[in-house]
Amino acid sequence: MMPSILLQTIIVPALVALVILIFRFQLGKKSGWVAVLGLVYTTFLLLVALVEVYNGAPIKESYQLLKSPDISVTLMADGLSIAIALICNLLCLALGTYSIKYVAHRIEILYPETLGGRGEISYYSCFFYLFLFFPVGFMGVSFATDLVLMYFFLEILTLFLFFLMAYFGYYERVWVATMCLIWGVFSALMFLGGVVIIYSQVGSFQIDQIHMMAGEPLAFWAIALVLFGMFAKLAIVPLHVWMPWVHAEHPTCIAGLLAVYANIAAYIIVRMLVLPLWDDFQWFGPPIMIFAVITMIYGSLLTLAQTDMKRIPACSTISQSAYSMLGIGALTAASIEGGLFFFLSHIMGKTVFFSVCGMVVYITHTRNIRLLGGLATKMPLTAILFLCGGMMLAGIPPFSSFAAEVVMFAGIFERGDTLGLVVGIIGLLAILLTISYAVHFTRVIFFGPMPENIAKDDHIKDPPWTMTVPIILIIVVSGALGLYPTLVMELFEPVISAAVANM
Amino acid sequence: MDIQFAWLCLIFPLIGVLLTPILSRISTPVMNYGAVFFSFLTAASAVMMLPLLFSAERLPLESTFVWLHTPITVSFGVLLDPLSVIVANVVAVISFFIMIYCLGYMKGDPGIMRFWMLMNAFIGSMLLLVLANNLIIIFIGWKLVGLCSYGLIGFYYRDERKYWIGGPAPFAFDKPSACGVKAFIVTSVGDMLMLGGILIMYYYSGTFNVLELYQTAPEWIPVMADTPGMIILVSILLIAGPMGKSAQFPFQEWLPEAMSGPGPVSALIHAATMVKSGVFLIARFIPIFYYGYWTAGVEDAMYFFLIVAWVGAITAFLAASQGLVATELKKILAYSTVSQIGYMMLALGVAGFGQDILVKGYMAGTFHLMSHAMFKACLFLCAGTVIHAAHSIYIDDMGAMRKYLPFTWVFMGLATLSLIGVPPLPGFWSKETVLVATLESHHYMLFAIALVSVVFTAFYSTRYFAMIFHGKPSKHIRKETSKPGHHVGEGYRTQTFACGALAVGIVTFGIFGLKAEHAITDLVSLQLVTDLGLATVDHVYSYPKIMVVFLSVGSVLIGAVPAYFFYFSGRWNADAVYRNSKLIRMVHAFLWNRWYINSLYTFVFVRGFMGLARIVADKIEKAADALVQSRLPNGIFKISKGTVWFDQRAIDGVVDGTAYSVVNSGQLLSRIQTGRIQEYLALAVIIALTISGIIWLS
């Protein structure tokens, strides 16, 4: 196997970012492709790692930073983390490619005075070197084996998200970027509070040591603090108010990654709280399920009422993030695995959905859906992609979200209690709202007669291939995982099912 | 090899879907014939499974691959038993004829590639649903047919005026894209509930495999019954899916609007195949609940049969009554479909009412499914030709079209007679079996509802047929035929051929109707009694069979004769009756407005949910947003003002006060800094003594 494969997945994007920063004027607008190349390489690395993990034991890499005192960093890829890292990286790759045209367009709108000069190149390359810290953060969070490292990478995500949004967002970008930063810091502080409690009890930051505080009274408070912070990140009602603003105002090309940024909290909860503190976590299961189901319905209703193209997927994220939490809250092996599989499916679906909304805004320069209609005639491929995104969110076969839903709800009913039964049925009916808004918005935006200005505008057509092909790639991956969900489930099985079986 | 044909039934349509865009690059005719060719291969594969029915003791056959083995086990496979072989053949063969019809009907349509892809995708999904051996895979097929149906109903997504249905003005019209959305959402309600039922059943049984569910039912059903109400809940959830897909009460409202799709789509999806999937699935569930009630002695299991039977009967009556006044041709046929499926549900429901009635009811439901698929597909295809010729969707815009459409008149006439239940056509035989099963179950109310529905069926069928082909030509037809080189005539040859082939099928099936009934009875008996070991007893007729024939034919006459006088001969004037009777006008309005159920649903669900969404967005979210994004920061700023005050008054005060105190203390202490050595010495001694004293004392 290749040496330091996990470290490379973190370091390479950072190095590529450095190269882009240093050679930005030499690279010009090729910096986007350089970023993509770096991500192609890390995707390859992750595929190699996936094969390794799939065939055998987890991959573990340790690097000593200081001899005295002994400070070392350990990275680990098991079935859970490698699946999440690979999908996240794939989305970064797809959105990096998507951004090549999109960012140029954003700069045209935001900084017209720089066009044709070094300023334009500066902004263009700036996007990509900031963007590359997303894969750094995602890989770091996925592979971290200690809480400090996890916190560090979480903060990296928050910080670089702030700059990206402030530079390339929409109308109220700086205000919204600040708001996002504050919420991010709030989540991180809660997380840190939990970490401090854990350290005080265990004397270690290692995730595999957390179980030592099981049964301690302070375990409850550690869980509560971290969970509260992660609920804010996941935008669980009532901690969701930041989500519509942030999603609506930042550049669409990173919107999918923002969904990952929010949803990776589900992974953290499972990794850090559910598995090590299984018995202590039981108390939190029912409230999580109730909050999750409320959020699912609330988010869907909120989505239905939207008329702003960018707020549609924003509000949808609120609803969809809660699905994973519903599965995790049910606390059975199947529901947790299904919930995490749904997390992966959702981030793929949301990336497609967001990106296609971005395409429509990119082409039509219109965010108000009441001014749109009949676009399928001029943008047939975009219409199909939008519908696919909606279907991916709604859990329609053959997309992976269907398999995830089946596994997750089977796990929820497996609880065998009234709460599981009631919440399960309500949860299934809540999916109906997702189906409703998916087909409703498809109709409003793409079907029916075209408004006169759109009909006359010859520039309205499907966007360039650099924007469509990456989205098609994600759809294909989601379809493939839907047709063969065993691949993901076999990866999750030794980490979750095996652990839960021993509880 | 037999089981491989089942796989081929799934593979050929898929290849058809994938190849259609490639074939379109060659030429449109190549693509057209290519798409139809794959449906032919599918039909041929299905027909190759038919010999299995003649050696049914070899059934069931199963072929399975593991789809998911952790954390739950789901296999992907096919199951060949009499039910799946029969229904697969109905689907594949009728689909093939409909595809032939499409060669003419869809000629020149700009969206033809999309059409062929959706049609083949639909056929493949429908066959997946029918042939799957596992409830999750059935559900996948179930969702995919819904998705294809959504695409095909909204096929004319640009919503051009000519594709609107509903009306005529001043009544509201429905646009195709909205109809597709409605169909998808309404059927999805049932789908989601059914998925819940399947997953709960899995919790108790530990399997999704159909045969394993049957075999282990006596073990897990009593365990399920230990939780009070669970069997009833699961019954309702499982029934909801079929009720949605088969447009049964209370989910019937989507089907009339689904007629906005192209004519052959209505024939394929909304007459012959997809709407039958609910009947098929109920038939699949029957052995489970039959075991539950008659073998395991779980009384709640009877609710499954009661719900199915009553829903079927109510739907048969309700939809048939709506068909009495409708004027859109395809909508009348849609109401008719809903009503006829109600009969199938009724038969399957009464199947569980007694051990002696199981085979009869099950057979009646399956038999009516087959015969109805054939004659209703023919009716829809003929309707497509008629609408195309008349350039109108309303039957009161037609009249005296027999001379322009002589073949269609014959074909549609035969299909209509079969729908009415005129002997010896298959509709007569199959409806007869439904009525017999219902009567023999001794549920006389259900039987009475079914008979009244027969009256309604005869009336509306005679009415539409007469208004299309007989009587005087309408003003619209006179206008159309007065145009030079008018197109009021038969469609393309492929259209006529497909309708003719189905009509021949109807006649043939009718001639061998009794034999078919016996053959299906034997197959059902073999499947349920021999293979699955369901406990049954021999049936002893409580009533002479001829009595049902008399009642049935009598009901047909009660419905058909007035319709004949109103619309065929014109002796009676329907308009005068309508004008002169307030009661008739009220009843007409009630039926025209679909019992006001559609309006109620629109008010409660569409407006209700959108209103709720607006409340969430405009009130709750804004309040929450203001609280967190505005009031909370403002509160923090206010607190910060407090801290400023605290800082200025308290902290600054302390600091300043300390400083002043230090200065004051300094001034005080400076008094002892006199510069005189002796004073310093004295002070040092005093301090030393004081400290020594303290140490000594302590």
Side-chain angles (χ1 to χ4, degrees):
Chain A
M1 198 183 72
M2 298 175 78
S4 304
I5 200 162
L6 302 182
L7 185 67
Q8 282 193 66
T9 60
I10 298 171
I11 295 291
V12 168
L15 289 177
V16 174
L18 190 66
V19 168
I20 291 174
L21 175 66
I22 295 169
F23 298 105
R24 59 191 181 279
F25 295 117
Q26 287 82 355
L27 289 170
K29 288 200 173 176
K30 290 192 186 79
S31 54
W33 288 109
V34 173
V36 167
L37 207 63
L39 290 170
V40 168
Y41 177 66
T42 52
T43 306
F44 167 74
L45 291 178
L46 287 164
L47 282 169
V48 172
L50 175 81
V51 173
E52 193 73 20
V53 172
Y54 197 76
N55 290 330
I59 301 169
K60 210 166 185 178
E61 294 173 7
S62 282
Y63 303 95
Q64 194 171 46
L65 301 182
L66 274 178
K67 276 191 179 174
S68 181
D70 180 19
I71 298 176
S72 57
V73 167
T74 304
L75 303 172
M76 190 187 70
D78 57 11
L80 182 58
S81 55
I82 193 68
I84 286 166
L86 180 60
I87 296 292
C88 290
N89 202 71
L90 202 65
L91 297 182
C92 290
L93 171 62
L95 289 174
T97 317
Y98 175 95
S99 304
I100 287 170
K101 288 276 179 189
Y102 187 86
V103 171
H105 168 75
R106 282 303 300 149
I107 293 168
E108 275 174 35
I109 293 170
L110 289 170
Y111 309 108
E113 71 283 358
T114 64
L115 292 179
R118 286 166 73 92
E120 185 189 3
I121 299 299
S122 279
Y123 278 118
Y124 190 80
S125 51
C126 168
F127 175 85
F128 285 100
Y129 64 69
L130 291 175
F131 177 87
L132 282 167
F133 282 91
F134 273 107
V136 170
F138 293 143
M139 296 309 107
V141 172
S142 302
F143 296 137
T145 57
D146 70 77
L147 298 169
V148 174
L149 207 57
M150 198 177 252
Y151 173 77
F152 171 75
F153 285 113
L154 272 177
E155 288 292 74
I156 280 192
L157 287 170
T158 305
L159 200 63
F160 284 89
L161 182 62
F162 169 80
F163 286 115
L164 271 173
M165 214 179 307
Y167 276 125
F168 301 100
Y170 279 74
Y171 310 119
E172 301 187 69
R173 56 184 181 279
V174 178
W175 177 71
V176 172
T178 311
M179 183 210 294
C180 182
L181 183 73
I182 291 170
W183 278 92
V185 170
F186 169 77
S187 302
L189 283 177
M190 291 290 131
F191 178 86
L192 202 58
V195 169
V196 168
I197 294 176
I198 291 168
Y199 185 78
S200 72
Q201 298 297 301
V202 176
S204 166
F205 289 114
Q206 291 297 312
I207 292 173
D208 59 7
Q209 302 294 311
I210 296 174
H211 68 92
M212 287 167 62
M213 76 179 293
E216 298 288 335
L218 278 176
F220 177 90
W221 294 106
I223 294 171
L225 274 177
V226 175
L227 208 52
F228 195 63
M230 294 302 111
F231 266 29
K233 210 174 252 310
L234 280 160
I236 298 291
V237 171
L239 302 173
H240 67 285
V241 285
W242 63 279
M243 182 70 90
W245 288 102
V246 171
H247 266 301
E249 300 304 327
H250 65 44
T252 312
C253 52
I254 62 156
L257 297 184
L258 191 54
V260 186
Y261 167 75
N263 279 259
I264 206 157
Y267 166 75
I268 295 171
I269 289 170
V270 172
R271 179 67 88 187
M272 182 181 165
L273 304 178
V274 177
L275 297 179
L277 301 171
W278 179 259
D279 290 331
D280 302 279
F281 201 84
Q282 297 296 320
W283 187 91
F284 293 90
I288 288 175
M289 288 174 78
I290 291 165
F291 273 109
V293 91
I294 290 171
T295 307
M296 285 161 71
I297 294 168
Y298 185 90
S300 294
L301 288 172
L302 199 58
T303 312
L304 265 175
Q306 299 306 314
T307 54
D308 180 341
M309 194 77 185
K310 291 194 79 211
R311 282 182 86 98
I312 292 168
C315 297
S316 155
T317 303
I318 296 172
S319 163
Q320 297 288 312
S321 305
Y323 281 70
S324 308
M325 283 315 296
L326 180 63
I328 292 168
L331 288 172
T332 64
S335 73
I336 297 169
E337 288 184 19
L340 287 172
F341 191 20
F342 191 85
F343 150 54
L344 295 181
S345 307
H346 164 227
I347 57 176
M348 287 190 278
K350 196 44 64 67
T351 301
V352 172
F353 203 52
F354 261 125
S355 304
V356 180
C357 287
M359 287 177 195
V360 174
V361 178
Y362 172 83
I363 297 289
T364 62
H365 307 292
T366 308
R367 279 174 60 167
N368 188 344
I369 61 167
R370 283 178 289 206
L371 304 175
L372 299 172
L375 285 178
T377 308
K378 289 194 163 193
M379 302 171 71
L381 180 60
T382 311
I384 293 170
L385 297 180
F386 185 88
L387 193 59
C388 283
M391 298 296 121
M392 285 163 81
L393 295 180
I396 305 287
F399 298 114
S400 57
S401 46
F402 171 72
E405 269 175 15
V406 167
V407 174
M408 186 174 83
F409 280 99
I412 291 168
F413 289 122
E414 203 181 296
R415 281 175 65 93
D417 59 357
T418 310
L419 179 73
L421 190 69
V422 173
V423 168
I425 292 171
I426 295 174
L428 281 167
L429 284 173
I431 294 173
L432 200 63
L433 291 171
T434 311
I435 294 173
S436 302
Y437 66 67
V439 290
H440 168 69
F441 289 123
T442 306
R443 175 171 178 253
V444 172
I445 298 163
F446 292 100
F447 296 164
M450 262 188 287
E452 205 175 330
N453 60 324
I454 289 179
K456 284 180 182 170
D457 191 340
D458 293 333
H459 295 101
I460 293 181
K461 57 184 178 185
D462 280 321
W465 70 268
T466 48
M467 295 176 88
T468 53
V469 169
I471 301 308
I472 294 170
L473 174 78
I474 298 171
I475 293 170
V476 170
V477 171
S478 174
L481 290 179
L483 291 174
Y484 193 63
T486 296
L487 178 68
V488 175
M489 287 297 137
E490 280 187 348
L491 284 168
F492 285 177
E493 197 266 337
V495 186
I496 298 171
S497 288
V500 171
N502 292 328
M503 301 293 180
Chain B
M1 183 60 199
D2 300 306
I3 200 85
Q4 270 76 3
F5 287 120
W7 287 110
L8 288 176
C9 281
L10 306 180
I11 292 166
F12 283 133
L14 180 66
I15 298 173
V17 174
L18 298 175
L19 280 188
T20 299
I22 298 165
L23 294 177
S24 73
R25 297 286 173 111
I26 302 170
S27 76
T28 305
V30 169
M31 173 184 67
N32 295 347
Y33 287 108
V36 177
F37 178 66
F38 282 103
S39 75
F40 164 73
L41 291 176
T42 310
S45 305
V47 169
M48 294 301 282
M49 296 188 295
L50 276 178
L52 281 172
L53 297 179
F54 299 101
S55 53
E57 64 285 348
R58 291 170 55 204
L59 299 175
L61 295 174
E62 209 178 2
S63 164
T64 298
F65 298 98
V66 172
W67 183 62
L68 187 63
H69 69 84
T70 177
I72 58 172
T73 307
V74 185
S75 59
F76 177 77
V78 289
L79 167 65
L80 291 184
D81 63 359
L83 181 69
S84 63
V85 173
I86 289 171
V87 180
N89 270 279
V90 169
V91 170
V93 174
I94 292 180
S95 300
F96 170 57
F97 284 115
I98 292 170
M99 291 288 269
I100 291 175
Y101 180 92
C102 294
L103 283 171
Y105 189 89
M106 298 302 291
K107 200 170 188 177
D109 193 291
I112 188 72
M113 186 180 84
R114 179 165 45 98
F115 180 79
W116 290 128
M117 289 177 77
L118 283 169
M119 289 291 270
N120 265 324
F122 175 83
I123 295 168
S125 308
M126 187 66 208
L127 287 166
L128 176 67
L129 188 166
V130 171
L131 292 168
N133 69 338
N134 175 303
L135 291 181
I136 290 298
I137 307 300
I138 288 176
F139 189 81
I140 291 176
W142 188 267
K143 286 305 292 180
L144 290 178
V145 292
L147 197 59
C148 297
S149 167
Y150 162 70
L152 286 164
I153 294 168
F155 182 74
Y156 301 118
Y157 66 85
R158 293 185 184 91
D159 291 343
E160 289 115 319
R161 178 71 180 76
K162 62 181 173 180
Y163 298 119
W164 292 6
I165 60 163
F171 298 103
F173 286 91
D174 296 297
K175 296 171 185 170
S177 64
C179 297
V181 168
K182 181 178 180 180
F184 196 55
I185 293 175
V186 174
T187 53
S188 293
V189 178
D191 296 353
M192 287 299 119
L193 291 173
M194 185 175 80
L195 182 60
I198 290 172
L199 294 174
I200 295 172
M201 203 154 66
Y202 174 79
Y203 168 63
Y204 287 99
S205 65
T207 181
F208 291 114
N209 183 287
V210 172
L211 290 179
E212 285 173 14
L213 278 168
Y214 295 160
Q215 285 152 7
T216 56
E219 294 156 27
W220 60 265
I221 284 214
V223 178
M224 190 192 265
D226 287 344
T227 308
M230 186 57 80
I231 296 270
I232 299 173
L233 175 70
V234 170
S235 300
I236 293 169
L237 293 175
L238 291 177
I239 290 168
M243 295 308 147
K245 208 61 112 192
S246 292
Q248 297 294 285
F249 180 79
F251 298 111
Q252 79 283 6
E253 287 301 327
W254 66 270
L255 193 62
E257 269 79 54
M259 298 300 123
S260 65
V265 167
S266 308
L268 175 66
I269 298 179
H270 308 122
T273 55
M274 189 183 86
V275 288
K276 304 288 166 54
S277 56
V279 180
F280 169 81
L281 207 56
I282 290 291
R284 274 267 176 261
F285 290 142
I286 278 180
I288 295 171
F289 290 92
Y290 190 88
Y291 267 126
Y293 186 79
W294 294 104
T295 306
V298 176
E299 291 200 355
D300 283 355
M302 182 48 74
Y303 283 98
F304 175 84
F305 298 104
L306 282 168
I307 296 168
V308 171
W310 275 101
V311 165
I314 291 167
T315 313
F317 176 81
L318 180 145
S321 72
Q322 293 171 352
L324 295 173
V325 298
T327 56
E328 281 172 76
L329 177 53
K330 285 210 300 179
K331 226 173 224 183
I332 298 170
L333 296 180
Y335 290 132
S336 166
T337 300
V338 174
S339 174
Q340 297 300 310
I341 294 170
Y343 279 115
M344 297 168 212
M345 292 292 185
L346 172 62
L348 292 176
V350 300
F353 287 178
Q355 286 180 297
D356 58 335
I357 211 80
L358 172 71
V359 173
K360 287 215 163 302
Y362 198 95
M363 179 277 294
T366 315
F367 190 19
H368 199 50
L369 181 152
M370 291 168 70
S371 74
H372 177 261
M374 197 175 278
F375 66 70
K376 193 49 71 66
C378 183
L379 279 173
F380 267 111
L381 294 185
C382 291
T385 305
V386 168
I387 290 169
H388 203 258
H391 291 104
S392 173
I393 57 173
Y394 306 110
I395 52 173
D396 42 12
D397 276 347
M398 300 174 186
M401 289 179 71
R402 181 184 168 184
K403 63 180 173 185
Y404 302 109
L405 299 144
F407 295 116
T408 305
W409 176 78
V410 174
F411 305 148
M412 201 167 184
L414 285 166
T416 302
L417 290 174
S418 185
L419 168 63
I420 292 171
V422 172
L425 294 168
F428 166 76
W429 299 114
S430 58
K431 202 175 285 179
E432 207 60 33
T433 58
V434 174
L435 292 173
V436 168
T438 311
L439 183 65
E440 292 296 324
S441 73
H442 303 292
H443 280 67
Y444 302 112
M445 193 64 194
L446 291 173
F447 182 71
I449 294 171
L451 268 189
V452 175
S453 305
V454 173
V455 175
F456 289 173
T457 307
F459 185 91
Y460 69 68
S461 305
T462 313
R463 172 176 173 260
Y464 76 70
F465 189 74
M467 287 180 76
I468 296 168
F469 293 109
H470 296 273
K472 291 176 184 169
S474 66
K475 199 190 283 181
H476 175 78
I477 287 293
R478 284 203 298 275
K479 190 178 152 195
E480 286 292 322
T481 50
S482 65
K483 291 176 186 170
H486 68 80
H487 296 293
V488 183
E490 296 287 0
Y492 290 97
R493 280 182 193 168
T494 50
Q495 290 175 251
T496 314
F497 168 76
C499 295
L502 287 170
V504 169
I506 291 168
V507 174
T508 315
F509 196 21
I511 291 168
F512 296 104
L514 258 183
K515 286 196 171 179
E517 184 184 328
H518 293 309
I520 298 168
T521 305
D522 291 344
L523 285 169
V524 167
S525 184
L526 187 82
Q527 181 190 343
L528 300 181
V529 183
T530 313
D531 291 343
L532 299 180
L534 295 179
T536 56
V537 294
D538 288 337
H539 180 70
V540 180
Y541 283 98
S542 309
Y543 302 93
K545 219 178 165 186
I546 195 73
M547 189 181 109
V548 176
V549 175
F550 275 120
L551 285 172
S552 168
V553 174
S555 303
V556 167
L557 290 174
I558 293 169
V561 169
Y564 178 85
F565 287 120
F566 277 125
Y567 305 106
F568 251 101
S569 67
R571 278 197 202 173
W572 296 353
N573 188 338
D575 290 336
V577 172
Y578 176 79
R579 278 195 306 273
N580 296 332
S581 168
K582 193 181 174 187
L583 179 68
I584 293 286
R585 286 203 298 278
M586 281 171 61
V587 172
H588 185 276
F590 180 69
L591 298 178
W592 179 264
N593 290 299
R594 294 149 72 161
W595 293 34
Y596 296 99
I597 296 171
N598 195 41
S599 316
L600 179 74
Y601 286 178
T602 307
F603 181 77
V604 174
F605 295 112
V606 181
R607 290 190 191 164
F609 269 100
M610 290 311 283
L612 195 60
R614 287 253 62 92
I615 290 170
V616 166
D618 295 343
K619 306 279 183 199
I620 303 172
E621 182 63 15
K622 277 191 179 165
D625 203 46
L627 177 72
V628 180
Q629 314 284 25
S630 171
R631 287 186 192 170
L632 194 63
N634 288 344
I636 291 169
F637 283 126
K638 276 183 186 165
I639 292 169
S640 74
K641 282 179 186 169
T643 58
V644 169
W645 178 88
F646 183 73
D647 183 56
Q648 288 173 346
R649 302 289 173 86
I651 296 175
D652 280 6
V654 170
V655 174
D656 291 350
T658 310
Y660 288 129
S661 303
V662 170
V663 171
N664 291 337
S665 312
Q667 284 171 350
L668 190 69
L669 289 172
S670 68
R671 290 180 192 170
I672 57 173
Q673 290 181 316
T674 58
R676 296 176 188 126
I677 303 284
Q678 67 275 22
E679 287 181 11
Y680 292 158
L681 189 63
L683 199 62
V685 171
I686 290 166
I687 292 170
L689 285 174
T690 308
I691 293 170
S692 304
I694 291 167
I695 293 169
W696 182 74
L697 285 172
S698 63

